[in-house]
């Protein structure tokens, strides 16, 4: 990626449930359509329930709903507490890049929304695993690289390909955060953005 200074630490940060709320507004979105989100396992598939029948939606239908939600609300997702002031403070010492799996056609809207919230940092759109993108970014800098994401699978894949990257698991929704299975040898778990700030500063 152009513009990465090889001498500065790099902070690669996910967006949904890390910087912007996804679960809470998505629950409201589902409720308005006669559905609700069950939080018994760490996934959407199988956990979106039809309130009238009690039946769970298929994986395909769940993915379609999440995409539809983003199409309608990507410009309106509320920011997570302390994300803006902490990232602004960290920007004095880190290069910050957002790496998001939002659909490609929505990435510019997401970048504009983040900028309007005071987070005018580059937004890189991604699909599926983030391991390759993180490896490419980490290879540009000789300084420490930190990766923050809410999905344990991304941390596992990144550690297998880029073991030098320091991974932080954070998810704003406390219910899902509690049931997320994260190996402490792979990623450090954070409870809020103040803890994220402390972990980041410890690495430089």
């Amino acid at each position: 990626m152009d513009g990465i200074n090889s001498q500065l630490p790099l902070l690669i940060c996910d967006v949904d449930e890390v910087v912007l709320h996804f679960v809470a507004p998505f629950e409201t979105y589902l409720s308005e359509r006669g559905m609700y989100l069950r939080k018994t396992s760490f996934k959407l598939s199988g956990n979106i329930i039809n309130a009238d029948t009690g039946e769970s939606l298929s994986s395909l239908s769940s993915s379609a709903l999440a995409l539809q939600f983003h199409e309608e609300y990507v410009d309106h997702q509320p920011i997570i507490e302390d994300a803006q002031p902490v990232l602004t403070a960290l920007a004095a010492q880190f290069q910050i890049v957002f790496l998001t799996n939002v659909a490609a056609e929505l990435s510019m809207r997401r970048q504009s929304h983040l900028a309007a919230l005071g987070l005018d940092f580059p937004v890189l759109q991604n699909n599926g695993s983030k391991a390759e993108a993180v490896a490419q970014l980490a290879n540009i800098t000789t300084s420490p690289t930190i990766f923050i994401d809410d999905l344990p699978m991304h941390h596992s894949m990144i550690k297998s390909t880029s073991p030098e990257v320091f991974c932080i698991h954070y998810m704003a929704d406390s219910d899902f955060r509690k049931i997320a299975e994260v190996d402490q040898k792979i990623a450090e778990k954070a409870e809020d953005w103040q803890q994220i700030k402390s972990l980041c500063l410890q690495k430089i």
Side-chain angles (χ1 to χ4, degrees):
M1 175 186 168
D2 294 335
I4 296 292
N5 186 329
S6 63
Q7 305 302 311
L8 292 176
L10 178 63
L11 177 58
I12 306 169
C13 187
D14 184 30
V15 177
D16 282 317
E17 275 304 300
V18 176
V19 176
L20 301 178
H21 284 286
F22 170 79
V23 172
F26 188 55
E27 286 183 292
T28 300
Y29 183 80
L30 292 177
S31 178
E32 293 170 349
R33 289 155 179 78
M35 292 172 279
Y36 67 90
L37 183 62
R38 181 174 58 193
K39 299 179 180 180
T40 56
S41 58
F42 194 83
K43 58 182 181 179
L44 287 183
S45 179
N47 283 333
I48 298 178
I49 310 299
N50 184 306
D52 291 331
T53 66
E55 296 179 352
S56 60
L57 273 66
S58 67
S59 177
L60 187 62
S61 296
S62 298
S63 297
L65 265 175
L67 176 59
Q68 184 179 341
F69 168 80
H70 273 134
E71 288 174 345
E72 295 185 32
Y73 288 94
V74 72
D75 309 299
H76 308 292
Q77 288 173 253
I79 194 165
I80 290 166
E81 183 179 5
D82 286 341
Q84 193 276 336
V86 168
L87 282 169
T88 298
L90 291 174
Q93 295 167 280
F94 285 86
Q95 302 171 93
I96 297 174
V97 175
F98 292 125
L99 182 61
T100 177
N101 275 4
V102 73
E105 61 271 21
L106 302 178
S107 61
M108 290 303 297
R109 287 171 59 191
R110 167 150 284 180
Q111 181 158 0
S112 295
H113 181 49
L114 288 165
L117 293 170
L119 296 172
D120 193 11
F121 304 115
V123 175
L124 302 183
Q125 190 274 336
N126 186 74
N127 292 305
S129 170
K130 295 182 178 179
E132 182 177 351
V134 169
Q136 291 176 350
L137 289 166
N139 284 339
I140 297 173
T141 180
T142 57
S143 297
T145 298
I146 297 173
F147 173 73
I148 309 171
D149 202 282
D150 64 314
L151 299 184
M153 68 174 186
H154 288 314
H155 296 296
S156 297
M157 287 186 280
I158 285 164
K159 273 300 180 183
S160 68
T161 57
S162 304
E164 76 282 4
V165 173
F166 179 66
C167 292
I168 300 174
H169 177 266
Y170 172 64
M171 186 169 195
D173 185 85
S174 59
D175 293 326
F176 275 130
R177 187 171 68 240
K178 289 173 184 175
I179 60 177
E181 296 182 2
V182 181
D183 187 337
Q184 291 293 308
K185 296 178 182 178
I186 293 176
E188 189 79 31
K189 290 195 76 169
E191 299 293 317
D192 54 40
W193 268 98
Q194 292 303 325
Q195 187 177 1
I196 290 172
K197 182 180 180 180
S198 297
L199 290 169
C200 289
L201 293 176
Q202 289 171 20
K203 292 299 171 181
I204 59 174

